[in-house]
Amino acid sequence: LCQRCLAGIHPCSSPRCPCCSLPYPTENGTDHRCEACLRRPPAFAWVSALGLYQESLREAVHRFKFEGAIGLDRALARLLGEAVAAERPGYVPDLIVPVPLHRRRLRQRSYNQALLLARQLGRCWRVPVAARMLVRTRATVPQQGLSAEARRHNLGGAFRLQEEVAGRKILLLDDVLTTGATVDECSRLLRRGGAAEIGVAVLGRAPRPDFIAQ
């Protein structure tokens, strides 16, 4: 990524939710849990994001995800790894688990962007990638435009855990987090499977509509 594009990546700075990393539309205040995480605590412990899903990061993710620009996987994974390390010095998971695509969507796109990122990050950190730990068993309608409740309902029973995770420290990886419904559903399966800790890493964290990056 060029310097101009890098300058268009805005980090998820404080104040924000320490659980889902939702940024708040103010420059003042301290980190505190958002209403959604208070009302329905997620199964994951924390979220680290490369930046807000805006401007050049949004464009890069869109090209990577929908336009076949798979060569962006290395640069984006490196930047994401640096963001996680800056927030959580010394953190090393036992496994990196990408959020899976349903086979129908995989045939349409020909690749899973989360898996490409996971493989690159695994090489950087020398951590194994569990590509088949989670499988998507049911095709769902696109999440865009759905409310948080509708997203949770849409994802009910859409995933299956098919490998042992007892006592493992898991990093769940996806491209964008909006309401967190997808990573929460995956995390609940991993938690029921015995995972010791589940962290989430994403490229873009979607802010509230009224949020403007400073």
Side-chain angles (χ1 to χ4, degrees):
L1 301 181
C2 68
Q3 290 302 313
R4 181 179 179 181
C5 287
L6 289 172
I9 297 177
H10 303 285
C12 297
S13 304
S14 294
R16 61 180 177 174
C17 175
C19 185
C20 73
S21 204
L22 177 72
Y24 298 124
T26 177
E27 295 182 1
N28 302 314
T30 58
D31 290 356
H32 57 279
R33 286 207 170 202
C34 65
E35 180 182 355
C37 289
L38 286 171
R39 290 187 180 278
R40 191 175 189 269
F44 53 81
W46 48 265
V47 172
S48 284
L50 171 55
L52 298 173
Y53 190 50
Q54 296 176 336
E55 298 183 25
S56 58
L57 181 57
R58 182 179 184 132
E59 181 180 353
V61 171
H62 192 278
R63 290 186 181 185
F64 176 51
K65 185 174 182 179
F66 298 115
E67 298 180 11
I70 61 174
L72 286 170
D73 62 346
R74 183 178 299 178
L76 291 173
R78 178 179 59 82
L79 291 170
L80 179 57
E82 291 172 355
V84 174
E87 287 189 3
R88 305 184 179 279
Y91 171 78
V92 179
D94 296 319
L95 288 172
I96 300 176
V97 178
V99 171
L101 287 180
H102 187 266
R103 60 182 179 273
R104 184 185 306 167
R105 186 68 55 82
L106 188 59
R107 283 196 298 268
Q108 294 171 348
R109 192 175 299 163
S110 80
Y111 62 94
N112 178 359
Q113 69 281 353
L115 177 57
L116 296 183
L117 287 172
R119 285 173 174 165
Q120 290 292 347
L121 194 56
R123 291 189 187 105
C124 291
W125 287 356
R126 298 182 180 178
V127 171
V129 175
R132 297 289 296 172
M133 177 169 284
L134 288 171
V135 294
R136 199 157 191 155
T137 58
R138 182 171 61 82
T140 56
V141 299
Q143 296 277 79
Q144 293 89 342
L146 298 180
S147 67
E149 184 62 33
R151 286 174 182 240
R152 286 194 294 269
H153 180 75
N154 185 40
L155 292 166
F159 300 96
R160 183 177 72 242
L161 181 69
Q162 56 181 21
E163 293 183 20
E164 290 292 329
V165 293
R168 303 285 189 91
K169 185 164 60 173
I170 304 294
L171 179 68
L172 186 63
L173 199 148
D174 204 3
D175 52 0
V176 177
L177 189 149
T178 304
T179 64
T182 299
V183 293
D184 189 39
E185 182 70 17
C186 292
S187 296
R188 290 184 189 281
L189 281 177
L190 293 167
R191 183 71 71 189
R192 287 199 294 268
E197 178 188 297
I198 304 161
V200 176
V202 295
L203 294 175
R205 180 39 166 125
R208 288 172 174 164
D210 58 351
F211 183 91
I212 299 176
Q214 301 297 320

